[in-house]
Amino acid sequence: MESYEALVHSAFGGKQPDVTDPDVLAWLIRRNGLEMSHISRGSHIGSVFSAAEIIAVLYTGVLHVDPKNPKMPDRDRMILSKGHAGSAVYAALAETGFFPVEQLKTHYGNGSILSGHVSHKGIPGVEVSTGSLGHGLAVGAGMALGAKMDGEAWRTWVVLGDGECDEGSVWEAALQAAQFGLDRLCAIVDYNHMQSLFTVEETLRLEPFEAKWKDFGWNAQSVNGHDTKALRAACERAKENAGSGKPSVILAHTVKGKGVSFMENNILWHYRTPQGEEYEAALKELEAQRP
Amino acid sequence: MRDAFVRALVQEMEINPRIVLMTGDLGFGVLRPIWDQFPDRIINAGIAEQGMVGLAAGLAATGRTVLVYSIGNFPTLRPLEQIRNDCAYTKANVKIVCVGGGFVYGSLGMSHHATEDMAVMRALPDVTCFTPGDPAETEAVTRVMLRTEGTCYLRLGRGNEPKIHDGPVEGWKMPEPIVIREGKDVALLSAGGILTQAVEAAKLLDEKGISAEVVSFPCLKPMDAEAVRKLTERFRHIVTVEEHNVTGGFGSAVCEIAAEGGNGCRIHRIGLQDCFTAVVGNQQYLREIYGMDGKSIAEKAEAWIHEA
């Protein structure tokens, strides 16, 4: 029987995919996300697809991390605060060598350590477990505060959801990070404009979103969250932010379900898992897009 | 207890440069020695307890022992999920410190009465809970807590409580209970600052010719199960005393062990009888109203030991 790894890499015709290319890694995140959701009948594929380029850009040169030494003291810390997109991070970590790609097939299953929401227990490269929204920014700010107190140069990156920004605790942490001048903290919001039931606009309006962050004392930029070059440039600007005394946020405008036409902007795919014809159709669309 | 805690903390901060204190915009005056001596190691997180506990978990991940200081229910019930997910689950070296356990802020109203915190914190895996009974126990417990790995909860009373121990409590080992006085007819077990009332009750029982043993439990969790089992073997009646709801708290913890022990000892729980406070008043007044002052404890204990 064909291995899981061979299956998700089959579109590369026997060649090893170049996981240092952010577009290739983003594609692999979607390909793994589709397969993991298909095997496990797990949910949140729409969020995995919207965050694919954000996560891919982080793990192709933005984050200072080493898969061979995941606890390296001066590594950058990365927290996926929107823990339900955990399979995007699991896929990125596995594809870049933190743990075997084959392990991804256990995601969501009985006895697996790869929980539906991202977990740090036994998984190299994951700093903290999340899943309940509104936790990650404060924890990341605490790490950045510790680094600042120690005069360390490493950075802390926190990926937030837009719906997550309904949580008051996000804004507590936003005030605290600004107050403590954490200019090596960078938040990236996966701004896919969709929540669990309705759009962000129909739920709790966040606009003017960039202005909100700026008013809270952050440096803010908005980019197309599916353009890996634009995202990379935004991350580099966020790095240059060190010394400004302000934390940095990137509002990455994305499309929920990006990459599969019938999943895009469709809240159903916050929950639905691709099976049968839908799985085949999604796979066909992804294969047509392989970089 | 507050001042004993700060005294011990300052000494520990002198020894261990990686101890940091975070306050939720509280501790005016009380924390002055720390602001003065360690201005770089005290952080005001603002009136934002969820953010504060998250920050503490992140800060602890950079190799620090982080104390989170607030009053009443603010450091426990408000950021409970942050304590559960971000601290306990990661075994973060975060020490949650509550000043004002029970009715300390009696006149301020129900919002400020911390009467479920022990039950809630005790229910979290990987959280060690401390409930010292007087200033001397507080000093000893604070030192032990700062040498205990992982997430801890320290429940303090107020400032200027009466001393129960004449001198310092030396050589205390977690989770040992401390025998305050020996007796043979009934055992009064106490957790936290209500210890003064248990001692008072024992004196009143003396006058009635009833010999009461008083035992303080500075460590609520893990509870010293062996010590509890021995007490259930020595006494036919045990009375637990807590300035806290009887549901899930100290008395419940004792009952859990005693029930599994299986002998015929009877356990009577004194505390708030699964209700919220409906009136305000000073701490001692509320203890009297809710039947947990020394006189009430003595009267109830006497009645219980005369039951079959």
Side-chain angles (χ1 to χ4, degrees):
Chain A
M1 190 183 145
E2 193 179 33
S3 73
Y4 170 91
E5 182 170 4
L7 178 68
V8 294
H9 288 181
S10 61
F12 293 88
K15 283 195 218 124
Q16 200 56 33
D18 177 12
V19 294
T20 64
D21 178 330
D23 290 308
V24 171
L25 187 58
W27 188 88
L28 283 167
I29 288 170
R30 286 201 180 86
R31 180 65 191 89
N32 279 287
L34 176 69
E35 204 60 32
M36 290 156 82
S37 178
H38 173 66
I39 295 171
S40 66
R41 299 182 173 270
S43 50
H44 302 127
I45 191 169
S47 309
V48 174
F49 282 13
S50 73
E53 278 78 15
I54 297 169
I55 303 300
V57 164
L58 286 174
Y59 284 96
T60 49
V62 170
L63 294 179
H64 175 60
V65 290
D66 178 0
K68 299 285 170 285
N69 189 7
K71 288 282 178 193
M72 179 171 71
D74 69 342
R75 71 190 181 281
D76 281 359
R77 272 61 167 179
M78 206 298 274
I79 297 175
L80 180 73
S81 193
K82 51 174 294 179
H84 54 283
S87 48
V89 170
Y90 291 149
L93 290 171
E95 292 287 2
T96 59
F98 282 80
F99 59 86
V101 171
E102 207 58 29
Q103 199 178 338
L104 293 175
K105 72 182 175 196
T106 71
H107 177 244
Y108 239 90
N110 292 339
S112 177
I113 58 171
L114 296 176
S115 51
H117 293 86
V118 79
S119 169
H120 72 284
K121 293 218 166 166
I123 304 168
V126 180
E127 300 287 342
V128 293
S129 304
T130 54
S132 175
L133 297 172
H135 285 243
L137 191 58
V139 175
M143 290 174 173
L145 178 59
K148 185 180 176 179
M149 290 167 81
D150 289 333
E152 296 280 349
W154 52 265
R155 292 179 166 79
T156 307
W157 303 80
V158 181
V159 176
L160 299 164
D162 50 5
E164 179 176 17
C165 293
D166 292 355
E167 295 278 5
S169 52
V170 169
W171 300 101
E172 290 186 8
L175 287 173
Q176 289 161 331
Q179 183 73 28
F180 303 145
L182 304 179
D183 54 17
R184 288 175 186 274
L185 171 68
C186 180
I188 305 176
V189 182
D190 178 9
Y191 196 5
N192 62 30
H193 301 267
M194 295 230 145
Q195 303 205 186
S196 206
L197 295 177
F198 302 106
T199 64
V200 169
E201 186 72 12
E202 289 164 320
T203 310
L204 294 179
R205 196 174 305 117
L206 293 169
E207 290 294 338
F209 201 24
E210 194 178 306
K212 274 195 180 64
W213 287 97
K214 284 181 174 163
D215 283 347
F216 272 69
W218 287 56
N219 287 324
Q221 2 170 9
S222 294
V223 296
N224 175 345
H226 296 305
D227 178 340
T228 54
K229 286 191 179 64
L231 273 170
R232 176 67 188 245
C235 290
E236 293 304 326
R237 280 194 295 276
K239 286 187 181 180
E240 287 160 15
N241 184 58
S244 73
K246 288 180 170 189
S248 177
V249 63
I250 298 167
L251 305 182
H253 287 264
T254 56
V255 173
K256 196 152 180 167
K258 174 75 176 177
V260 173
S261 57
F262 57 87
M263 294 184 187
E264 289 186 2
N265 288 317
N266 185 347
I267 282 169
L268 182 66
W269 289 94
H270 191 73
Y271 308 98
R272 195 171 172 88
T273 153
Q275 303 298 335
E277 286 177 5
E278 284 176 339
Y279 167 76
E280 297 299 335
L283 183 57
K284 201 171 164 195
E285 286 197 30
L286 286 187
E287 284 183 337
Q289 297 163 27
R290 185 185 72 73
Chain B
M1 280 198 228
R2 232 170 38 184
D3 303 311
F5 159 72
V6 172
R7 204 158 48 237
L9 175 60
V10 165
Q11 288 168 4
E12 292 296 314
M13 287 177 84
E14 282 168 353
I15 300 166
N16 180 355
R18 301 298 283 181
I19 298 175
V20 173
L21 179 81
M22 224 174 232
T23 172
D25 205 35
L26 287 164
F28 184 77
V30 179
L31 298 177
R32 179 51 53 197
I34 297 165
W35 290 110
D36 288 345
Q37 207 174 327
F38 308 104
D40 299 334
R41 289 159 64 194
I42 177 164
I43 296 154
N44 187 358
I47 308 165
E49 292 82 7
Q50 296 182 68
M52 171 163 66
V53 173
L55 279 167
L59 199 48
T62 63
R64 290 178 168 81
T65 300
V66 186
L67 292 97
V68 168
Y69 178 98
S70 189
I71 70 163
N73 297 307
F74 310 153
T76 53
L77 303 191
R78 188 63 177 257
L80 181 59
E81 197 184 62
Q82 277 79 8
I83 298 172
R84 177 184 184 268
N85 296 8
D86 305 338
C87 298
Y89 187 57
T90 62
K91 297 188 164 65
N93 224 345
V94 172
K95 317 301 178 192
I96 310 285
V97 181
C98 153
V99 166
F103 300 137
V104 167
Y105 298 107
S107 293
L108 296 185
M110 173 273 185
S111 62
H112 282 58
H113 299 166
T115 49
E116 299 86 33
D117 57 313
M118 286 156 65
V120 169
M121 297 303 284
R122 188 171 82 83
L124 295 177
D126 290 322
V127 176
T128 307
C129 302
F130 298 100
T131 48
D134 89 330
E137 289 185 12
T138 300
E139 286 209 40
V141 158
T142 300
R143 285 182 221 290
V144 169
M145 176 178 77
L146 292 171
R147 289 171 170 75
T148 301
E149 283 297 310
T151 304
C152 298
Y153 175 51
L154 174 60
R155 186 196 210 228
L156 300 174
R158 52 186 171 88
N160 302 316
E161 279 104 340
K163 289 179 181 168
I164 301 295
H165 298 272
D166 295 330
V169 172
E170 277 166 5
W172 179 71
K173 287 191 186 62
M174 188 178 92
E176 283 175 2
I178 300 173
V179 178
I180 304 296
R181 49 170 280 171
E182 293 184 347
K184 57 183 175 45
D185 299 324
V186 62
L188 308 179
L189 314 188
S190 167
I194 194 84
L195 180 61
T196 55
Q197 305 307 301
V199 170
E200 175 65 20
K203 285 181 192 155
L204 295 171
L205 287 167
D206 272 344
E207 292 167 13
K208 305 257 181 178
I210 297 166
S211 162
E213 180 149 319
V214 178
V215 186
S216 175
F217 281 69
C219 186
L220 174 71
K221 184 185 178 179
M223 185 163 277
D224 189 337
E226 195 46 42
V228 171
R229 269 193 287 274
K230 280 182 182 154
L231 285 162
T232 65
E233 285 160 12
R234 284 177 52 218
F235 292 93
R236 174 147 173 72
H237 290 274
I238 286 177
V239 177
T240 63
V241 185
E242 60 197 303
E243 201 167 313
H244 183 274
N245 193 1
V246 292
T247 300
F250 171 60
S252 295
V254 170
C255 286
E256 287 161 14
I257 294 166
E260 288 175 349
N263 68 46
C265 168
R266 291 199 56 197
I267 298 183
H268 313 273
R269 291 171 298 152
I270 290 181
L272 209 50
Q273 299 299 308
D274 206 16
C275 61
F276 293 116
T277 50
V279 293
V280 301
N282 67 34
Q283 185 179 25
Q284 195 59 26
Y285 173 81
L286 289 175
R287 285 169 171 170
E288 288 164 15
I289 290 289
Y290 292 102
M292 57 186 91
D293 62 309
K295 186 161 167 283
S296 303
I297 297 167
E299 285 169 4
K300 289 178 191 178
E302 185 185 3
W304 282 325
I305 61 175
H306 288 132
E307 285 174 8

